[in-house]
Amino acid sequence: MTARWQAVEDALRAGAPALAARADRYPRWFADAVVDRSRRYTSERERLDRPADREADLAARALFFSPVDAAKLQVPIAELLRARGGALGATAPRVRVLDLGAGCGAMTLGLLAATAARGARPAWQVTAVDRDAAALAIARGAIEHLAQELGLDVEVHTVTAELTRWPLPPADLVLAGGVLNELPEPQSRALVHAALAAVDAAGAIVLIDPALRESARRLHQLRDELLVAGAAHVLAPCVRQTTPCPMLARPTDWCHEDRRFRPPEDVRAVADVTHLRDGNLKFAYLVLSRAPAPLAVPAPGSLLLRVVSGALPGKGRRELMACGEPGRVPLRRLDRRASPQNAWFDELYRGDLVEVPEARALAAAAPGGRVEVAQDDTFPVLRFGGSTDEPRD
């Protein structure tokens, strides 16, 4: 666990002191609300807007789910900073952030923590929008508390409104965490197009949704629609800029992140009881812009592939699935071919980019093909530090 995610949890408790005190005094009340909210997002989605106890649900959102959701933003932000050369925004005095469906402020808190940790400390102008005024009050208090703790210049505005009816003002960065998942597809699509209209060529949009098959595949479909229409470029996670998304070929496939993470102290205590969010960060995401900005440019004669799975089961080998311009590409190294030269393959993990000779990548995309890692293969690996603990299988 790193200090910055503990600082985020502390900020949320400072933003909701009465709820934090009640959660500490009545742990069962709090744990039951955490379980209820988890069920409504997974197996009981017909109750998404009908919590068993609204005050308890707000406590669960602010004190359990938001600290973990904030940490998810470090992955797309690390990649966005890489693509933008360390800058977020153009030449305005403040970086203008729209946090759509802000809730208790998880996305903005994650943005501030992740950028500060990477040395990016601009002046911020945050507009947090949500229909829940009580959640926004927590967000404001938490953001102001974290800004003070990190020594950041942050101007916060909150707007209580329905996202689908609120005209988006110009922005450098638009954040939407868990929003598209809660909207009907026509409305979610319209919101993304409105966000694209709100940012200029130097701006970007970060969309994060649950790592569920349905919500992740909706992001894949949205990606394809935007690319076909020429409405946006995908900065991350895709290194493939063509359509269709290979994950849409079979209804059982979807692309999502699974990053090692140790939750902050109070979240961990509840996770030990509920067995929810007691492991990795799991989510699906897209980083969009109106202008292209590649994460990295491979050497001539090479292609970048994104690792999109954990280690696949099998004896006598280590194998992972990757994705790139050729489509889905298996990467495999037989145990008998392990060597000091290819030791990098032992560390290869979901989300990493690996630079593979183009001819081998294209051949491996054929039915039954794969990239066989030889003893002397030394493929470059790009890792943007998107997890709080160094990941291992």
Side-chain angles (χ1 to χ4, degrees):
M1 178 182 64
T2 60
R4 64 182 180 275
W5 306 119
Q6 185 61 56
V8 167
E9 180 179 74
D10 293 344
L12 283 157
R13 291 179 66 86
L19 290 176
R22 186 170 183 187
D24 291 343
R25 186 174 182 182
Y26 302 108
R28 175 48 58 188
W29 170 80
F30 184 49
D32 286 347
V34 167
V35 172
D36 178 67
R37 185 163 187 82
S38 178
R39 286 175 178 165
R40 287 184 289 112
Y41 259 84
T42 53
S43 60
E44 301 176 17
R45 289 185 63 81
E46 70 279 1
R47 293 201 305 117
L48 193 59
D49 291 326
R50 301 198 305 274
D53 180 328
R54 290 201 175 273
E55 183 183 22
D57 185 61
L58 182 59
R61 291 167 61 195
L63 306 176
F64 184 80
F65 291 97
S66 288
V68 179
D69 288 342
K72 295 174 182 177
L73 204 68
Q74 65 189 317
V75 176
I77 289 301
E79 295 177 336
L80 179 55
L81 287 172
R82 166 72 184 233
R84 293 297 190 207
L88 293 173
T91 58
R94 292 180 178 270
V95 176
R96 300 163 299 174
V97 179
L98 284 181
D99 189 342
L100 304 180
C104 300
M107 292 295 99
T108 294
L109 294 168
L111 172 69
L112 300 181
T115 51
R118 293 181 173 276
R121 305 174 69 88
W124 301 96
Q125 181 189 75
V126 176
T127 302
V129 188
D130 201 281
R131 64 184 179 183
D132 188 334
L136 285 176
I138 294 171
R140 175 188 285 278
I143 293 166
E144 291 176 345
H145 180 93
L146 185 64
Q148 183 174 0
E149 289 296 306
L150 297 180
L152 302 177
D153 181 358
V154 183
E155 180 183 300
V156 186
H157 306 275
T158 59
V159 177
T160 304
E162 289 284 348
L163 284 180
T164 55
R165 302 174 189 168
W166 188 68
L168 273 58
D172 300 301
L173 180 63
V174 178
L175 308 175
V179 173
L180 303 189
N181 171 63
E182 297 187 9
L183 293 174
E185 284 198 60
Q187 291 184 4
S188 64
R189 203 174 292 119
L191 182 63
V192 172
H193 280 280
L196 285 167
V199 298
D200 61 17
I205 300 166
V206 178
L207 308 173
I208 295 182
D209 263 343
L212 303 172
R213 181 176 64 179
E214 180 180 352
S215 53
R217 286 177 66 84
R218 281 181 63 177
L219 281 183
H220 305 340
Q221 291 162 354
L222 173 65
R223 167 204 180 273
D224 281 3
E225 290 171 11
L226 293 172
L227 289 179
V228 168
H233 295 271
V234 180
L235 274 62
C238 307
V239 293
R240 172 184 167 98
Q241 293 300 315
T242 53
T243 59
C245 171
M247 291 294 178
L248 294 175
R250 300 187 305 179
T252 54
D253 290 337
W254 71 97
C255 184
H256 67 280
E257 297 304 301
D258 188 348
R259 305 292 184 106
R260 289 283 177 87
F261 177 65
R262 183 171 173 80
E265 182 179 352
D266 291 318
V267 169
R268 193 163 66 251
V270 179
D272 289 342
V273 174
T274 63
H275 304 294
L276 296 170
R277 302 211 171 183
D278 56 355
N280 295 359
L281 292 174
K282 296 182 179 182
F283 59 98
Y285 75 105
L286 275 179
V287 182
L288 304 171
S289 71
R290 290 168 57 187
L295 283 177
V297 178
S302 296
L303 291 177
L304 286 175
L305 300 177
R306 169 89 67 174
V307 179
V308 294
S309 78
L312 303 175
K315 294 183 179 179
R317 67 180 185 273
R318 186 171 194 261
E319 186 169 3
L320 307 102
M321 188 63 67
C323 186
E325 287 298 348
R328 286 161 59 95
V329 176
L331 307 175
R332 187 175 80 168
R333 190 199 61 194
L334 300 178
D335 291 349
R336 67 174 183 270
R337 292 177 181 160
S339 69
Q341 290 82 3
N342 63 33
W344 56 269
F345 195 76
D346 295 316
E347 306 299 319
L348 207 59
Y349 191 81
R350 187 192 298 262
D352 290 345
L353 300 185
V354 57
E355 195 171 305
V356 177
E358 182 175 6
R360 291 173 66 178
L362 293 173
R370 63 176 59 87
V371 173
E372 291 282 5
V373 177
Q375 285 184 320
D376 58 351
D377 280 336
T378 56
F379 300 164
V381 175
L382 302 177
R383 182 176 295 124
F384 302 127
S387 60
T388 56
D389 298 310
E390 189 65 22
R392 297 291 186 273
D393 286 331

